Amino acid sequence: INAEYGGATACKGITKEGTKKYRTNKSATTSTKKGMHAYIQGSPYVLYKKYYFTEKEGYTLSGYVSSTKYTTKSKAMAACLTSSKCNGVTKEGTKNYRTNTGYTISEYSTRTAYLKGGAKVNHQTYSSTYGGYSWTFKYPRTLR
């Protein structure tokens, strides 16, 4: 699974079966099995000017910010980032992108919706427990 761009693949997830033993899966359906861990692939995304847009091929967003049509995805995303009304961009055809106000996606086979997300994550922190201890993960960090 590519960490920079979650492109479409036949792989829908990874199962950790044991120490250093993994397998890829063509299905995202899970079932309970002791000792195993499932990692499910999410939707692809586009990172534009340090902001994430979730890509949903075969979907469209409702409502338009304006009547302006953009010839590139980059121009539409730039306009979306400067508008407080914009919730995403829809590719409606070749060289035809629109900025949208709607939150809800609808099926539309010839379109691709890009849902505006948050800023790029530069720091990550999470905690878990293992072996009777609590552990904290921090990125990017090092121990001295």
Side-chain angles (χ1 to χ4, degrees):
I1 296 178
N2 187 331
E4 289 301 314
Y5 180 78
T9 72
C11 179
K12 299 297 179 197
I14 298 170
T15 300
K16 181 179 180 185
E17 297 179 326
T19 305
K20 297 183 181 182
K21 186 175 180 184
Y22 297 85
R23 68 177 156 86
T24 58
N25 301 91
K26 292 183 180 178
S27 170
T29 304
T30 63
S31 60
T32 304
K33 190 152 187 189
K34 188 176 179 179
M36 301 226 180
H37 303 280
Y39 300 89
I40 302 167
Q41 181 181 10
S43 296
Y45 65 87
V46 173
L47 183 59
Y48 179 78
K49 294 201 178 203
K50 298 185 180 181
Y51 281 84
Y52 290 105
F53 286 81
T54 301
E55 181 181 323
K56 299 297 284 182
E57 192 172 331
Y59 289 88
T60 190
L61 283 162
S62 62
Y64 295 120
V65 172
S66 69
S67 60
T68 306
K69 295 180 181 179
Y70 301 91
T71 56
T72 68
K73 180 171 49 179
S74 295
K75 289 178 182 177
M77 287 181 176
C80 187
L81 291 177
T82 61
S83 171
S84 61
K85 295 178 183 178
C86 185
N87 291 312
V89 171
T90 299
K91 179 182 180 184
E92 296 185 345
T94 305
K95 294 187 178 185
N96 183 7
Y97 295 85
R98 301 286 300 270
T99 53
N100 302 100
T101 58
Y103 285 105
T104 307
I105 57 172
S106 304
E107 287 188 43
Y108 203 112
S109 64
T110 60
R111 293 185 178 182
T112 300
Y114 299 90
L115 290 78
K116 183 166 79 171
K120 180 180 177 185
V121 177
N122 291 318
H123 302 282
Q124 297 176 8
T125 302
Y126 69 85
S127 299
S128 65
T129 58
Y130 178 76
Y133 292 91
S134 65
W135 295 87
T136 301
F137 168 84
K138 292 187 177 189
Y139 170 83
R141 297 286 184 264
T142 185
L143 295 172
R144 293 184 230 174

